[in-house]
Amino acid sequence: MLKKIFPLIASALAVALLSACYHDKHEFMANEFGGQPVGYVALQLMWDNEADADATLKSITFQAFGADDIVRSRTFTSVEEAAAWLQQLPVGNYDILVAANMDEASGYVLTTGSGTRSTARLTTTSVALADYNLPPSQSWFAVTNVTISESDIIVAQIRLRRLLSTLAITISEVPEGYSLTASVEHTAQGVILSETDGSGRYGVASADEQTVECGLLATDGTNHSLTRRFMPTASSQERTIISIEIATPEGTSFKRIINAPAMLIGQDHSLNIRYSELQSVIYINSTNVNDWNIGTILDGGSAEGTK
């Protein structure tokens, strides 16, 4: 079940009260479009994943794209501010894009193109990280379509979807004194929020790729682990390459390669193996299109991924 970020419209009665409040507000709004017939849109923010219900949104960017190059944008600093807002728009169809916590303070670069439309209305909008080697915080986005009718108030349901993939690696029973360093190859340089994938869902990883240096894995006794967020795998690649550099107390070093399925937008991926099972190359076959989670059973350097 989708969980609303704010409880103000959690019931039918609350929706009615909210609509009445918006009605009072729009009665006092001057026409911003030279006397054209106008209507109004308000946001109902919702989580795509209930696990995000405790997340704090400090920056919420709204953009509405319509015909005749009509574009309206606004940034809110809280959920309460976004919930209380009402946007006037000329009658017609609009694509609405919402990006949450994709601001500069959160380590993101959000770019909206000028004049190039990826659909009939939506302007090309992409997001990248300011520094790919710094562990990023999670962010969310959504795209929806609304039809504005004269004098009507439309409450647009915005289902916020995670942007970043999460990768968790645990290597157990590592010999004492060994250190492990990780890097992840084929991660996308960004995500195009305004494009749709093969299933029609908004958000497509860019084709440009890069390698992210993750540094030393954290240690807890003989367990070495890494949990970190990444841009999804680049659309030009079908696999994720995880390199583990191993250094011994004697000063020698060697590398192990984990060839895994693509990391997907907003998905969690995990790998848990024993040090003795590390081989020169481990190839992971995914058995689930949305996720891969590898336990401790390897067979000849190959593993089947299960959710």
Side-chain angles (χ1 to χ4, degrees), residues 245-267:
E245 188 81 25
I246 302 170
T248 71
E250 294 75 29
T252 60
S253 63
F254 49 95
K255 183 180 291 187
R256 295 291 182 258
I257 301 297
I258 301 170
N259 187 323
M263 295 189 296
L264 305 179
I265 291 175
Q267 294 294 327

Side-chain angles (χ1 to χ4, degrees), residues 25 58 85 87 112 115 119 131 163 169 189 193 201 206 229 254 266 294 296 298:
K25 182 184 293 186
K58 298 180 179 179
W85 167 82
Q87 174 65 58
T112 299
T119 70
D131 188 339
L163 174 74
I169 301 172
Q189 290 191 7
L193 306 178
R201 196 171 194 188
S206 66
R229 300 182 184 96
F254 49 95
I294 305 305
T296 58
L298 299 178

Side-chain angles (χ1 to χ4, degrees), residues 103-182:
D103 56 324
E104 183 178 352
S106 300
Y108 288 87
V109 179
L110 186 63
T111 304
T112 299
S114 56
T116 301
R117 300 295 176 94
S118 56
T119 70
R121 292 171 297 274
L122 199 57
T123 299
T124 300
T125 302
S126 61
V127 63
L129 294 172
D131 188 339
Y132 291 90
N133 289 316
L134 291 179
S137 59
Q138 188 61 271
S139 61
W140 296 263
F141 71 100
V143 177
T144 192
N145 176 266
V146 298
T147 298
I148 301 298
S149 300
E150 186 172 1
S151 300
D152 283 349
I153 299 173
I154 299 298
V155 179
Q157 291 190 345
I158 306 297
R159 299 179 178 181
L160 294 172
R161 176 190 182 192
R162 292 179 184 177
L163 174 74
L164 300 178
S165 309
T166 300
L167 175 63
I169 301 172
T170 299
I171 302 174
S172 59
E173 302 176 11
V174 178
E176 185 176 354
Y178 281 47
S179 61
L180 280 62
T181 303

Side-chain angles (χ1 to χ4, degrees), residues 1 3 55 122 164-165 192 200 210 227 237 248 257 267 278:
M1 179 182 295
K3 189 166 185 176
L122 199 57
L164 300 178
S165 309
I192 306 169
Q210 61 191 359
T227 299
Q237 300 292 329
T248 71
I257 301 297
Q267 294 294 327
L278 283 176

